[in-house]
Amino acid sequence: MIRIGVLAIQGDFAAHARAVGRIGANAIEVRRANDVASLDGLIIPGGETTTMLKFIEEEDLAAPIADFARARRPIFGTCAGAILLAREVYNPAQASLGLIDIVVERNGYGRQVDSFIAEVETSIEGGPLEAVFIRAPRIRRIGPEVKVIARLNDEPVLVRGGNILAATFHPELTEDLRAHSLFVEMIRSFDRSVATPCIA
Amino acid sequence: MNDNLMRLKTGLAEMLKGGVIMDVTNAEQARIAEDAGAVAVMALERVPADIRAEGGVARMASPKRIREIMATVTIPVMAKVRIGHFAEAQILEALGVDFIDESEVLTPADEEHHVDKHQFKVPFVCGARDLGEALRRIGEGAAMIRTKGEAGSGNIVEAVRHLRRISHEIKRLTILGPEELMAEAKQLGAPYELVRMVASEGRLPVPNFAAGGIATPADASLCMQLGAESVFVGSGIFKSSDPAVRARAIVKATTHYREAMLVLEASEDLGDAMRGLDVSKMNESELLQTRGW
């Protein structure tokens, strides 16, 4: 069975674990550096990036996650997770893992009273996706290698760069699990023969 | 009930799971809390221990103070209103706070009715001592429940009592037959539909956090192991001898609550915890948890 790690420092990791379970994969809570290497895929959930960054630094998690990405293993970040994966973050500027070529604005729509649910256009089969935006970030620029998979009013909200998937909304909070299914597809099509070896 | 609105409200509560929400009274404390890894701050005029010591009417914090805190941190900002004081809640919603705590720590404005929380776009958290109280608040629209514990006491005993009682009462519901649930709803004083939902799911329909008396990393670990999904720390941090270090330690213990070695590490060299009060020696009239119904 596919083993998907869910970074469980803080946030809605339990909702992701439920979504992963419902599409027939095995979810594993990840809190420490040693937990990462043996996974087939990694999800970075929603939550507070300032809190997660502290732990990533303290537990030395950045290096194993970067190694995992360098080995072209799939990583999926939602909301806070997308912020952590971005190349650049502003409002305010903060450190990030820099694993996907996007520029992200934090709290791009405002505070909690500005949170909303919308149908977003997507290239995934099956029509528009229901997307839950909670104090959500906005993707303000994408690099040439990054593909837009879903948009809201012409703005990218779900993007893929290599084997990194990033959503500004919360697919784990809806019944529609197509984004998670896409992530599992990425894991299934992972080709070990082209993967660069993981350098520890 | 507007279903999507409720999903947005409980959605934010989901994002705060596994974290620590800290009481702060000014921008400088808010900065310390955020730097320590708090997932949210609770803006208030005085921490519960001071409210207890100084007495007088405790009200919503001044908009100016809340605004300063909102301008200082990027994490969600919560603020408290008096039980039943929907006008204070309207002000906080207009101000743009991210969560409202309808709190027994402040002096109640209405001794019979709580705020109709369905009328608000901003989510509410409310305190509860048992399952019936939790389900009444959820029925009124609360998107998060926290134990009441005994705020400002630095004593974990009441939060433990409330956590255990709620989880015991939930377990009990799951073994009752469908024909027993109406009588149980009457007994609990809780909405029948919510009683049925808890009986079938085996958990509250909204996140369940711990509050009231948490003062050490061990207290946080205890609450998490008893089923709390996050912890609120009120007086415990800024009434201790070294707030920044203690705040960091409680955050660490909350994430790694099951790993004793890491909770041990978090418990070393913290300086003095807040002094605390023996709740069993207090008069009924001094208790904050008996406010609300």
Side-chain angles (χ1 to χ4, degrees):
Chain A
M1 195 192 259
I2 291 179
R3 297 172 73 247
I4 299 180
V6 184
L7 194 65
I9 293 169
Q10 180 277 315
D12 73 334
F13 52 86
H16 270 292
R18 276 196 296 276
V20 164
R22 279 173 54 198
I23 53 175
N26 198 1
I28 293 140
E29 291 185 3
V30 172
R31 290 188 175 84
R32 308 184 67 176
N34 294 343
D35 301 340
V36 179
S38 65
L39 302 167
D40 297 311
L42 175 67
I43 292 177
I44 306 183
E48 290 305 318
T49 53
T50 50
T51 307
M52 293 188 197
L53 275 170
K54 295 254 150 34
F55 272 90
I56 287 173
E57 195 180 310
E58 197 164 285
E59 309 280 339
D60 294 319
L61 276 159
I65 294 172
D67 288 342
F68 193 78
R70 209 171 303 127
R72 298 192 57 75
R73 295 281 186 174
I75 304 180
F76 185 13
T78 65
C79 195
I83 298 172
L84 290 176
L85 291 170
R87 174 174 63 77
E88 188 185 329
V89 179
Y90 70 98
N91 187 38
Q94 69 180 29
S96 56
L97 297 167
L99 299 176
I100 183 169
D101 189 7
I102 58 176
V103 178
V104 169
E105 177 189 8
R106 289 183 64 201
N107 296 329
Y109 300 94
R111 306 192 69 97
Q112 172 62 11
V113 288
D114 307 302
S115 294
F116 62 98
I117 297 175
E119 299 272 303
V120 299
E121 292 302 320
T122 177
S123 56
I124 304 175
E125 248 176 69
L129 265 178
E130 187 193 48
V132 181
F133 294 86
I134 295 173
R135 286 171 44 95
R138 288 167 99 146
I139 297 171
R140 291 306 197 177
R141 272 205 306 284
I142 61 172
E145 307 295 314
V146 173
K147 282 197 302 201
V148 178
I149 296 169
R151 314 176 182 270
L152 173 66
N153 306 327
D154 285 334
E155 237 178 67
V157 293
L158 174 61
V159 296
R160 177 176 176 178
N163 269 347
I164 309 287
L165 192 62
T168 59
F169 56 95
H170 293 282
E172 71 280 12
L173 295 184
T174 65
E175 297 299 306
D176 188 336
L177 296 174
R178 281 179 290 159
H180 283 84
S181 299
L182 170 67
F183 183 58
V184 168
E185 271 317 298
M186 287 164 59
I187 293 171
R188 287 222 170 87
S189 59
F190 172 76
D191 184 350
R192 282 165 200 278
S193 63
V194 301
T196 46
C198 177
I199 305 152
Chain B
M1 193 194 322
N2 180 334
D3 204 37
N4 275 355
L5 184 53
M6 200 58 198
R7 287 171 67 200
L8 287 171
K9 291 175 174 179
T10 54
L12 180 57
E14 292 283 334
M15 299 311 143
L16 302 175
K17 282 186 179 176
V20 181
I21 299 154
M22 301 182 192
D23 277 5
V24 298
T25 58
N26 57 44
E28 186 199 349
Q29 290 184 352
R31 170 75 67 208
I32 292 170
E34 185 174 57
D35 286 347
V39 292
V41 291
M42 176 76 69
L44 70 178
E45 206 78 35
R46 297 179 282 171
V47 295
D50 288 335
I51 291 174
R52 201 180 270 294
E54 292 163 16
V57 174
R59 309 181 179 89
M60 172 187 86
S62 73
K64 177 168 178 279
R65 186 165 300 215
I66 297 169
R67 232 188 233 116
E68 279 167 8
I69 290 167
M70 286 166 67
T72 304
V73 295
T74 60
I75 53 179
V77 175
M78 303 185 171
K80 289 184 191 290
V81 299
R82 288 178 264 179
I83 289 172
H85 206 317
F86 56 85
E88 282 186 347
Q90 288 162 351
I91 291 169
L92 290 185
E93 181 170 65
L95 195 55
V97 303
D98 298 295
F99 235 104
I100 293 176
D101 185 0
E102 186 182 18
S103 177
E104 70 282 1
V105 167
L106 305 185
T107 311
D110 189 326
E111 295 190 333
E112 284 170 50
H113 310 100
H114 285 250
V115 172
D116 174 14
K117 293 163 274 285
H118 293 296
Q119 301 305 316
F120 291 81
K121 196 168 179 210
V122 58
F124 278 71
V125 51
C126 290
R129 296 188 294 166
D130 54 40
L131 182 60
E133 191 172 14
L135 295 181
R136 288 192 291 278
R137 297 295 84 78
I138 295 166
E140 293 159 358
M144 181 200 289
I145 292 298
R146 56 168 176 77
T147 58
K148 285 181 166 174
E150 187 56 34
S153 71
N155 188 338
I156 198 66
V157 65
E158 295 301 306
V160 167
R161 190 191 318 281
H162 302 161
L163 276 170
R164 283 210 185 265
R165 190 184 287 151
I166 289 172
S167 78
H168 175 80
E169 288 171 328
I170 290 174
K171 277 182 215 150
R172 194 183 125 72
L173 280 190
T174 63
I175 56 167
L176 294 181
E179 73 284 0
E180 295 175 281
L181 293 178
M182 184 60 89
E184 191 65 15
K186 182 184 173 198
Q187 180 78 18
L188 289 169
Y192 175 61
E193 287 306 321
L194 291 175
V195 169
R196 280 187 8 153
M197 196 184 288
V198 172
S200 82
E201 301 286 323
R203 60 185 172 99
L204 289 180
V206 305
N208 182 23
F209 292 9
I214 295 158
T216 68
D219 290 345
S221 168
L222 176 64
C223 291
M224 295 294 284
Q225 292 190 62
L226 288 173
E229 295 174 295
S230 276
V231 298
F232 284 83
V233 186
S235 318
I237 290 172
F238 289 99
K239 284 285 157 194
S240 71
S241 63
D242 191 343
V245 169
R246 183 163 296 263
R248 188 78 204 90
I250 292 177
V251 169
K252 184 172 175 175
T254 302
T255 288
H256 295 299
Y257 66 94
R258 270 183 294 224
E259 294 198 57
M261 280 307 288
L262 294 172
V263 179
L264 165 64
E265 269 175 40
S267 305
E268 312 237 28
D269 300 324
L270 296 182
D272 296 330
M274 71 178 284
R275 190 154 173 359
L277 301 167
D278 184 348
V279 181
S280 65
K281 301 237 162 52
M282 291 163 71
N283 288 326
E284 176 83 14
S285 63
E286 295 174 76
L287 295 177
L288 300 176
Q289 60 177 286
T290 51
R291 295 167 166 184
W293 62 280

